[in-house]
Amino acid sequence: MGQTYDQTRERLETYFDRTASKTWERLTSDAPVSRIRQTVRAGRDRMRAALISALPTDLSGARVLDAGAGAGQMSIELAERGAEVLAVDISPSLLEVARNRTPEHLLDRITFKAGDMLDPYHGQFDFAIAMDSLIHYEADDIARALDGLSRQVDQRIAFTVAPKTTLLSAMHLAGKLFPRSDRSPAIVPISQTRLTKALNGTGTLERRELKSILQVNSGFYISHALELSR
């Protein structure tokens, strides 16, 4: 990956592991939150269900990468389907939350690892899910990330981008997603057409097919789920 990716990842690490880890711990729990964050929580719940639905119901024997696992909701649901999960996140503090929330009977199915979700040393997988972990990157960086993952994932990669809508672009410019004290790094709206062009530049689409799964619009949460499959 290039310098832009590395610089953005460093900002994300600072944000998720230091600036707003408690905010995200609360957001991903059942604790009361503001009305704005309620829309984000509801949208994320719907998106998580959509991404998991792109994978087989029975994942017994499958190795799955949860790229950007955060507080572990996705990893737990994947493990409940029988998957062997590698939960990778740049935030050790959020992974600790994930580990503490994981039911004891699932702990042997999930490996928690702090670091770069794109590290090739993670090995090979049957499937990968990257929920909202690519939304802070430009299209070319996303394409390079997916190109790298496609060499490690044998069957399907389900992921999200921030769609290029008028509303999201306006929200992005206004900076209203979170209060200023814990606002995340900028979300970059990307159209599917622009992403397809970038993926063509890497040659990824010669090996994979890009399909839309679902776009979720839930108040202040707007995200587009897609998949790359053979």
Side-chain angles (χ1 to χ4, degrees), residues 55 58-66 74-87 105-112 122 124-128:
L55 275 57
D58 184 0
L59 289 169
S60 300
R63 188 167 189 249
V64 182
L65 172 65
D66 185 2
M74 183 78 74
S75 294
I76 292 170
E77 292 190 33
L78 291 168
E80 287 174 339
R81 290 191 177 199
E84 298 297 324
V85 183
L86 179 62
H105 72 282
L106 295 178
L107 283 172
D108 62 344
R109 293 186 188 169
I110 305 175
T111 300
F112 300 96
H122 296 322
Q124 292 298 122
F125 302 90
D126 297 289
F127 303 97

Side-chain angles (χ1 to χ4, degrees), residues 73-198:
Q73 293 164 294
M74 183 78 74
S75 294
I76 292 170
E77 292 190 33
L78 291 168
E80 287 174 339
R81 290 191 177 199
E84 298 297 324
V85 183
L86 179 62
V88 180
D89 200 273
I90 56 175
S91 171
S93 61
L94 283 179
L95 286 179
E96 186 62 25
V97 172
R99 185 180 291 105
N100 291 335
R101 288 179 177 176
T102 301
E104 187 174 354
H105 72 282
L106 295 178
L107 283 172
D108 62 344
R109 293 186 188 169
I110 305 175
T111 300
F112 300 96
K113 187 173 181 60
D116 189 346
M117 62 187 179
L118 304 181
D119 191 333
Y121 289 101
H122 296 322
Q124 292 298 122
F125 302 90
D126 297 289
F127 303 97
I129 291 183
M131 176 174 157
D132 296 345
S133 50
L134 296 171
I135 61 174
H136 303 285
Y137 299 97
E138 299 288 346
D140 289 341
D141 278 333
I142 295 174
R144 284 190 288 268
L146 293 171
D147 185 59
L149 284 175
S150 71
R151 301 171 195 279
Q152 295 177 256
V153 178
D154 296 330
Q155 297 188 47
R156 188 173 306 155
I157 305 167
F159 65 98
T160 62
V161 298
K164 197 174 183 63
T165 66
T166 301
L167 177 58
L168 185 58
S169 297
M171 289 167 59
H172 169 62
L173 290 174
K176 293 181 178 178
L177 185 58
F178 288 113
R180 183 170 299 277
S181 61
D182 60 3
R183 188 183 305 156
S184 68
I187 292 172
V188 182
I190 302 290
S191 70
Q192 186 171 341
T193 300
R194 176 68 184 90
L195 180 59
T196 299
K197 182 178 179 180

Side-chain angles (χ1 to χ4, degrees), residues 5-36:
Y5 172 84
D6 292 337
Q7 291 172 341
T8 301
R9 186 187 61 194
E10 288 177 5
R11 291 196 298 271
L12 291 170
E13 181 177 4
T14 299
Y15 170 72
F16 284 107
D17 198 50
R18 304 173 196 173
T19 306
S21 60
K22 291 297 182 182
T23 297
W24 280 91
E25 180 179 357
R26 189 176 185 87
L27 180 68
T28 57
S29 71
D30 295 327
V33 291
S34 69
R35 187 172 300 177
I36 289 175

